């Protein structure tokens, strides 16, 4: 379900003063929306064709540092422009931003070819590959985050004053997983979020409390892979905008506190035929799985360690993978078992699907969905045989495939992945290897509060 506004509807809304601003945004390496705010009339007159942005938007880190060493962008290249080409199918009103519409752009070079390293282009390449094989990739992402009483401004002031974020106060005081009374206290934010997303053409299903104090989950209906990634990115922006307007703050860190549960982004996946029939179901199979589904899952398991860097892109991401907190540590499959990295779930012809539980809330949905799709399609192409189902507690099971324990290990596995290099291209894999290596080097360089507290007197 793409955007809910046609270009003609935008013209009419602008003429009647209902829309005066159009957010024109691309997606960066971290999965954030980056772009410009146009006066609606200028967008209608001109900018709907294209606008431009600095090419450094695909060569920066989380702090927007101009990272050296990228082949696509740098001082030696003069930091030129990319073309931002609006995908008018994504045009929509944003109810939580008064008088504002949003359109998502593809990034092109000056010859109007897509930039291979751009997250949207990476996913579109795998979608095209699936379609050439006769499949439409359908996906959904669950998205978890923590909501705090502290405002973003208060958190910023704490950081500036002491170099630390102090006295974070989760919006609830205890585990609120499925807890109706406790989540009633948060409705000022969560109700506005559900209604805002729905009004933006994003088919939100529900929200719920998650497995720790102040932890939330928002779920959007499944859709085609590109629409799902777009919806995920807009949803994260909406969460931050709406929380900020309410004087609250949120974090999508995979692990904001080692004593707390981590925040995930489980990715649900299925393939359908191009004429709209589910390709994963076989009622005669003991698990209800078709041969296509088994090959697809086998591919994801075979390449699970190689794709982890796209599911867990930061040093912090790997602190989520711990025993007993519903984050997986083993890249195996099981039927309806939340201790496995890949969970087969859903009943019936249309509902059966694969849930990848490895990804954290900090992932870039375009990259994560693309990597999973590439691995699954490789399994279909090679008719990989699905390994036996694992049962019981995967945390305590030894001798089985593990999720990489660090970004350093995951980056090495990504670097050596012949499958991803064939599916995405060497220039894409090398680009994101460089991003991972920069994250690692920054973590190696910076002295942390933990080190200071542990070693200042005792060393």
């Amino acid at each position: 379900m793409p955007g809910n506004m046609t270009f003609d509807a935008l013209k009419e809304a602008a003429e009647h003063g209902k829309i005066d601003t159009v957010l024109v945004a691309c997606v960066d390496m971290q999965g954030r929306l980056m772009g410009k705010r146009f006066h609606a009339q200028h967008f209608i007159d001109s900018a709907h064709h294209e606008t431009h942005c600095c090419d450094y938007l695909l060569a920066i880190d989380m702090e927007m540092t101009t990272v050296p060493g990228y082949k696509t962008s740098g001082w030696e290249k003069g930091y030129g422009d990319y073309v931002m080409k609006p995908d008018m199918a994504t045009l929509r009103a944003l109810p939580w931003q008064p008088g504002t519409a949003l359109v998502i752009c593809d990034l092109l070079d000056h010859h109007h070819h897509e930039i291979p390293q751009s997250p949207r282009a990476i996913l579109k390449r795998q979608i095209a590959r699936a379609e050439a094989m006769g499949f439409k990739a359908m996906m959904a992402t669950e998205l978890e985050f923590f909501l705090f009483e502290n405002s973003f401004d208060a958190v910023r002031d704490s950081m500036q004053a002491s170099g630390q974020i102090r006295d974070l106060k989760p919006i609830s005081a205890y585990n609120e997983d499925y807890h109706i009374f406790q989540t009633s206290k948060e409705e000022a934010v969560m109700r506005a979020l559900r209604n805002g997303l729905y009004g933006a053409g994003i088919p939100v299903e529900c929200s719920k409390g998650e497995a720790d104090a102040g932890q939330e989950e928002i779920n959007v209906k499944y859709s085609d892979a590109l629409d799902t990634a777009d919806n995920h990115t807009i949803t994260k922006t909406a969460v931050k905008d709406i929380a900020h307007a309410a004087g609250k703050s949120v974090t999508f860190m995979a692990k904001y506190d080692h004593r707390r549960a981590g925040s995930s982004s489980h990715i649900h996946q299925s393939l359908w035929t191009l004429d709209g029939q589910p390709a994963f179901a076989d009622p005669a199979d003991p698990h209800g799985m078709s041969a296509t589904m088994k090959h697809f899952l086998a591919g994801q398991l075979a390449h699970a360690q190689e794709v982890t860097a796209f599911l867990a892109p930061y040093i912090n991401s790997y602190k989520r993978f711990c025993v007993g907190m519903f984050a997986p540590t083993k890249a195996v499959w099981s039927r309806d078992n939340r201790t496995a990295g890949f969970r087969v779930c859903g009943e019936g012809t249309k509902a059966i699907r694969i849930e990848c539980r490895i990804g954290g809330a900090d992932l870039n949905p375009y990259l994560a969905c693309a990597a999973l799709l590439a691995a699954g399609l490789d399994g279909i192409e090679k008719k990989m045989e699905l390994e036996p189902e694992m049962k019981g507690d995967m945390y305590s099971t030894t001798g089985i495939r593990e999720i990489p324990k660090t970004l350093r290990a995951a980056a090495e596995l990504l670097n050596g992945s012949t499958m991803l290099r064939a599916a995405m291209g060497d220039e894409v894999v090398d680009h994101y290897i460089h991003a991972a290596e920069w994250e690692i080097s920054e973590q190696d360089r910076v002295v942390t509060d933990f080190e200071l507290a542990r070693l200042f007197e005792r060393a």
Side-chain angles (χ1 to χ4, degrees), residues 19-20 109 125 147 153 179 215 240 312 344 371 429-430 455 459:
I19 296 290
D20 55 59
D109 63 22
R125 180 173 177 177
L147 178 60
D153 291 342
H179 202 295
Q215 193 176 28
K240 291 180 179 180
V344 172
V429 172
D430 290 343
L455 300 174

Side-chain angles (χ1 to χ4, degrees), residues 49 53 109 124 133 237-238 254 263 309 337-338 373 385 432 434:
H49 292 296
C53 66
D109 63 22
K124 287 167 72 175
M133 295 169 64
T237 299
S263 289
N337 184 335
R338 286 181 167 85
L373 187 53
E385 184 176 351
Y432 286 92
H434 187 69

Side-chain angles (χ1 to χ4, degrees), residues 285-287 289-299 384-386:
D285 182 77
H287 290 295
M289 301 166 65
S290 69
T292 296
M293 182 176 182
K294 291 177 182 178
H295 295 323
F296 189 87
L297 179 53
M384 292 184 184
E385 184 176 351
L386 181 61

Side-chain angles (χ1 to χ4, degrees), residues 278 280-283 287-289 335 345-353:
F280 270 13
D282 181 358
H287 290 295
M289 301 166 65
R335 176 77 187 184
C345 54
E347 304 293 338
T349 301
K350 293 185 177 181
I352 191 166
R353 61 196 185 274

